[in-house]
Amino acid sequence: MEREQALKIVKEQLTDHRYQHTLGVMETAITLARQYGADEKKAELAAIFHDYAKFRPKDEMRQIIMNQNFPQDLLQYHAELWHAPAGAYLVETEAGIKDSEVLDAIRYHTSGRPGMTLLEKVIYLADYIEPGRHFPGVDDVRALAKENLDTALIQAVKNTILFLMKKNQPVYPDSFQTYNDLVMRQED
């Protein structure tokens, strides 16, 4: 699918603010893909569609998670996580994207997972550091992303976990496992 067609489909699903975020994620993902050797077209497509389900009703996302046999423990955690797996399903069924690498990059862009692929890392990080993001620590991660993708990713996941902990919110186990996996692989 070409960029213009994908953006047209996504724009109908998002607020103007979230659409601008999506454009920032797209440009950042292309830059990271180019820098680290990921497929730029897949990075572009996954970035465009990463928040496709962001504004779907929670009940719809809950039903998708239950009916598609996604990990049911997702339902015990903040609904903010749900749009990623629900979005991957909806992008496949509504937009007709069948590429499993693109769909997995969408599916895991909120929680990460152990053994993330290069494309998954690019999308997770692009979503975190796109130019429209302004929060404590993001500039440090942007600087790290210019030097080492995994080091930047470790810091982004760590920041997210610490943010949730400071707010006394539960952390989805995949996020902890992603952090552990990245740290242990870097030590090798």
Side-chain angles (χ1 to χ4, degrees):
M1 182 178 297
E2 293 302 315
R3 177 189 294 196
E4 292 73 26
Q5 182 185 2
L7 287 172
K8 184 174 186 274
I9 292 169
V10 164
K11 190 168 190 174
E12 296 172 5
Q13 302 292 324
L14 303 176
T15 62
D16 287 341
H17 177 74
R18 186 55 52 168
Y19 182 73
Q20 292 305 312
H21 161 74
T22 295
L23 294 176
V25 174
M26 178 188 73
E27 292 301 334
T28 304
I30 292 167
T31 299
L32 290 171
R34 187 173 298 134
Q35 180 177 354
Y36 291 105
D39 185 307
E40 291 179 39
K41 292 302 286 182
K42 289 183 182 195
E44 176 183 79
L45 197 58
I48 290 171
F49 281 107
H50 83 283
D51 275 349
Y52 183 79
K54 185 82 171 176
F55 299 106
R56 292 296 179 101
K58 287 181 184 164
D59 286 342
E60 179 185 7
M61 291 190 285
R62 182 182 292 108
Q63 284 302 313
I64 290 168
I65 290 167
M66 289 169 31
N67 294 341
Q68 296 306 312
N69 294 318
F70 292 147
Q72 298 300 296
D73 65 342
L74 271 168
L75 299 174
Q76 299 169 17
Y77 292 86
H78 198 284
E80 182 65 24
L81 292 170
W82 301 356
H83 77 279
Y89 170 78
L90 291 168
V91 166
E92 182 175 10
T93 58
E94 294 180 0
I97 304 296
K98 304 293 185 197
D99 186 308
S100 62
E101 292 179 68
V102 170
L103 295 172
D104 281 347
I106 296 167
R107 183 173 288 114
Y108 298 110
H109 85 270
T110 56
S111 64
R113 68 170 171 168
M116 289 174 80
T117 66
L118 179 58
L119 182 61
E120 290 167 13
K121 292 175 181 181
V122 163
I123 299 306
Y124 185 105
L125 198 58
D127 184 36
Y128 191 90
I129 67 170
E130 67 93 359
R133 296 282 202 193
H134 304 285
F135 52 84
V138 72
D139 288 333
D140 294 337
V141 177
R142 285 185 183 119
L144 289 170
K146 292 178 179 167
E147 304 300 323
N148 184 295
L149 184 69
D150 285 347
T151 302
L153 196 58
I154 288 167
Q155 191 61 51
V157 174
K158 185 190 311 181
N159 290 353
T160 300
I161 291 169
L162 290 172
F163 172 79
L164 291 169
M165 291 175 77
K166 284 178 186 171
K167 292 176 61 177
N168 289 323
Q169 292 187 354
V171 178
Y172 190 57
D174 279 4
S175 297
F176 279 122
Q177 292 168 1
T178 299
Y179 173 79
N180 288 340
D181 181 65
L182 289 165
V183 169
M184 288 190 282
R185 286 174 189 267
Q186 202 169 50
E187 290 173 354
D188 289 345

